[in-house]
Amino acid sequence: MTAAADTPQTTTLSARRVRLARFGLLATAFAVSACGLVYELALITLGAYLVGNTAKQASIVLAIMVFAMGIGALAAKPLRRWPALAFAAVELALALLGGFSVMLLYAAFAWTDLYSLPLVAVAAAIGLLIGAEIPLLMELLQRIREQAAGAAVADLNAADYLGGLIGGLAFPFVLLPFFGQIQGALIVGAVNAVAGVLLVFILFRNGLSKLAKQLLALVSALTALLLVAAFAYTDRFETDARQALYAAPIVYTEDTQYQQIVMTESASPFGEQDLRLYLNGDLQFSSVDEYRYHEALVHPAMAGPRANVLVLGGGDGLAVREILRYGDVETVTLVDLDGAVTDLARGFDDLVALNGDSLDDPKVTVVNEDAFTWLRQQAGTWDAIIVDMPDPDATETAKLYSTEFYALAGDHLGEGGRMVVQGGSPYFAPKTYWTIAATLADAGYDPTPYWVSVPSFGDWGYLMVGADGQAPELGLDTSAGPFRSLTPELIDAAQVFPPDRDEMDMRPSTLMHPVILDLVESEWQHY
């Protein structure tokens, strides 16, 4: 095709048609901008789900894409000779690459040891294509009607930014909850293709040669076929990809607005059924030995005032099961962000059998809110607080291991009350564990550390603090027994740490400086 084949249309358009054409082009700019922002958010969210540390994932994706957009804008300069055809080609390429981006990266994560390198490559390629859009749209806008450069830039930027707003809102509130990440990206890819091709065929078809029209129609049809086929195959793909990540058969899976929930079930080496819960790929419990974790978490904290108990996290209901062993407990309030987890604990038969249907006990109140925000709105106190949060490997959970959060939670301890925090593994992640201890100390407490063996996790640590700020003595009220893994002697022994895992001098983690986030990532990446 020659340059003359893609010529200005101004002379053939009336004033009204010029206005309509400009509106159509700006509407296209709006649509493709929304699509571009969705691609960015999809890559960030996928990384947060798969590898954690949302802040780092966002920084990597945005930095690479913005840089690539600059390169793409420069690379588009020679294409201004054929702006309509080039724009259509860019949008079709974006439809395929952006639409398939989540599927490609999930496949890389599930079936290979790669993720970071493909992420960089995909983000860069999408950024290059997005960067080429505005220069080409600017050229097309000027071919509809010549105007001052500043006015044209203002018009295009206004459409572009408004599209970004809509895309940014559509992803978390429409696409993610109703379609999930993979299908949501494919739908946006289809929108991207339709917007680009319609603009060219409706407004600029006269500037295309017959061969260019035929090729564009053929590529558009193939793009549509690929996107539709991928959409239809999504469920099978997700099932296969998820299963590749887990050794045992998956019996339940759900993608919520907060996380990916997976449950597996298989026969353990001891002949028992091993039910396991994973959140974003992190093991939360194994039914074979979860009692070791939950007995150690709950019962030392219950050896004191316990009429009213607050559980932060622990949406599986297993900690609540242990709390309800004490007949003098009057109320239990459980605060867990994700209602899908607490619904699972109430409705999945095997989990209900494991937790003893604890969340439907009349003493129990379930609140599905962010623990930090919810605590700030409360005025009451509790006799015991059990902090059973997922590991702080993401920005969203790191704030729940901060000085500010522990001080806030401690303010809600009644006289003589105790608070216990699960602290991760003092063996596999000692810096993380002792950072939690330092953070509790920074919040005004002298924590009592202890640990037990949980085969599914390894050696696992906890930290107990008292309402008076002094280091509490650990005890065990055997009236709630018999316990499967605890004795008073074992509680005493649990406070002894071997020399190679003794206390470390670490900095506290705060909201403004969440040092624990990088520690978790660096320590656990070796296992």
Side-chain angles (χ1 to χ4, degrees):
M1 179 177 290
T2 64
D6 203 358
T7 56
Q9 306 293 304
T10 307
T11 57
T12 65
L13 298 177
S14 66
R16 187 178 71 173
R17 291 186 66 193
V18 165
R19 288 194 296 271
L20 289 174
R22 284 173 53 79
F23 176 81
L25 188 144
L26 293 174
T28 300
F30 164 87
V32 299
S33 172
C35 293
L37 191 59
V38 168
Y39 298 144
E40 293 180 25
L41 294 173
L43 296 185
I44 292 169
T45 303
L46 181 67
Y49 274 21
L50 298 182
V51 299
N53 201 337
T54 307
K56 183 175 290 187
Q57 294 300 311
S59 298
I60 291 172
V61 171
L62 292 177
I64 292 171
M65 290 189 75
V66 169
F67 172 75
M69 285 166 62
I71 303 300
L74 291 175
K77 290 171 68 175
L79 301 178
R80 292 170 60 230
R81 297 174 60 193
W82 315 282
L85 186 60
F87 180 74
V90 165
E91 296 313 306
L92 289 171
L94 258 177
L96 288 173
L97 184 58
F100 279 90
S101 59
V102 174
M103 184 177 281
L104 290 171
L105 290 173
Y106 193 21
F109 184 83
W111 283 294
T112 74
D113 293 330
L114 302 175
Y115 178 77
S116 296
L117 186 60
L119 172 65
V120 170
V122 169
I126 292 176
L128 284 169
L129 293 169
I130 292 175
E133 288 176 333
I134 293 298
L136 295 174
L137 284 169
M138 178 70 74
E139 184 67 24
L140 292 173
L141 187 64
Q142 294 290 60
R143 292 194 177 198
I144 292 174
R145 189 190 71 191
E146 195 79 32
Q147 66 180 120
V153 169
D155 290 342
L156 272 178
N157 280 346
D160 184 68
Y161 297 151
L162 181 58
L165 170 66
I166 301 303
L169 294 175
F171 179 74
F173 295 111
V174 179
L175 294 170
L176 194 57
F178 291 103
F179 298 100
Q181 293 192 76
I182 296 177
Q183 288 189 340
L186 291 168
I187 289 171
V188 172
V191 171
N192 216 151
V194 169
V197 172
L198 279 182
L199 175 73
V200 172
F201 272 121
I202 291 175
L203 295 183
F204 299 97
R205 61 185 180 278
N206 293 335
L208 301 178
S209 68
K210 182 178 179 180
L211 177 60
K213 293 176 185 177
Q214 291 173 341
L215 287 174
L216 187 55
L218 177 62
V219 174
S220 299
L222 289 174
T223 299
L225 181 63
L226 287 171
L227 290 171
V228 170
F231 191 92
Y233 179 66
T234 297
D235 289 342
R236 175 63 183 273
F237 169 80
E238 285 195 70
T239 299
D240 292 344
R242 280 201 188 101
Q243 191 58 72
L245 296 172
Y246 301 94
I250 293 174
V251 294
Y252 180 87
T253 182
E254 181 179 359
D255 288 332
T256 77
Q257 60 180 315
Y258 304 111
Q259 59 200 342
Q260 182 185 85
I261 304 170
V262 171
M263 294 195 73
T264 67
E265 191 166 13
S266 64
S268 77
F270 307 102
E272 304 173 72
Q273 283 301 109
D274 187 0
L275 181 70
R276 297 188 173 213
L277 171 66
Y278 296 85
L279 300 180
N280 288 345
D282 294 333
L283 177 65
Q284 303 304 301
F285 71 78
S286 163
S287 61
V288 172
D289 57 19
E290 57 78 19
Y291 65 89
R292 286 176 166 262
Y293 171 90
H294 290 102
E295 287 187 352
L297 173 72
V298 169
H299 294 297
M302 300 294 285
R306 59 192 181 216
N308 300 295
V309 182
L310 174 63
V311 182
L312 303 175
D316 51 38
L318 297 172
V320 176
R321 176 199 65 198
E322 297 299 318
I323 294 168
L324 293 175
R325 294 173 68 165
Y326 297 86
D328 53 352
V329 167
E330 298 174 4
T331 68
V332 181
T333 303
L334 181 139
V335 182
D336 191 286
L337 176 64
D338 198 342
V341 175
T342 53
D343 288 345
L344 188 66
R346 285 169 155 162
F348 191 81
D349 289 345
D350 288 348
L351 182 51
V352 171
L354 189 63
N355 66 32
D357 201 14
S358 61
L359 297 193
D360 282 331
D361 189 283
K363 295 180 179 180
V364 177
T365 300
V366 175
V367 178
N368 294 125
E369 293 187 33
D370 174 73
F372 203 126
T373 302
W374 183 83
L375 272 175
R376 293 184 66 188
Q377 299 168 349
Q378 304 308 305
T381 61
W382 285 267
D383 299 304
I385 298 178
I386 314 294
V387 184
D388 188 18
M389 295 294 182
D391 292 339
D393 58 359
T395 308
E396 296 81 0
T397 51
K399 71 176 184 179
L400 304 174
Y401 289 80
S402 65
T403 297
E404 293 87 346
F405 179 73
Y406 292 144
L408 175 63
D411 286 342
H412 292 279
L413 273 177
E415 185 177 355
R418 297 178 169 200
M419 178 170 70
V420 65
V421 177
Q422 83 86 7
S425 174
Y427 181 82
F428 295 110
K431 292 180 180 178
T432 301
Y433 180 78
W434 293 112
T435 292
I436 296 173
T439 304
L440 285 164
D442 193 48
Y445 299 100
D446 185 4
T448 298
Y450 63 104
W451 65 281
V452 297
S453 175
V454 183
S456 296
F457 293 160
D459 295 337
W460 210 255
Y462 311 84
L463 298 115
M464 182 92 71
V465 299
D468 59 2
Q470 302 301 310
E473 292 186 8
L474 298 190
L476 189 65
D477 185 344
T478 57
S479 66
F483 303 115
R484 298 176 66 185
S485 65
L486 293 182
T487 65
E489 294 79 13
L490 285 172
I491 288 293
D492 290 339
Q495 300 172 64
V496 179
F497 287 77
D500 63 344
R501 289 299 182 266
D502 207 357
E503 183 171 0
M504 304 172 71
D505 185 17
M506 302 299 296
R507 296 167 56 194
S509 190
T510 68
L511 288 178
M512 293 297 99
H513 196 182
V515 296
I516 197 167
L517 196 58
D518 289 332
L519 290 173
V520 171
E521 184 176 359
S522 63
E523 290 192 304
W524 281 107
Q525 69 180 353
H526 303 297
Y527 301 101

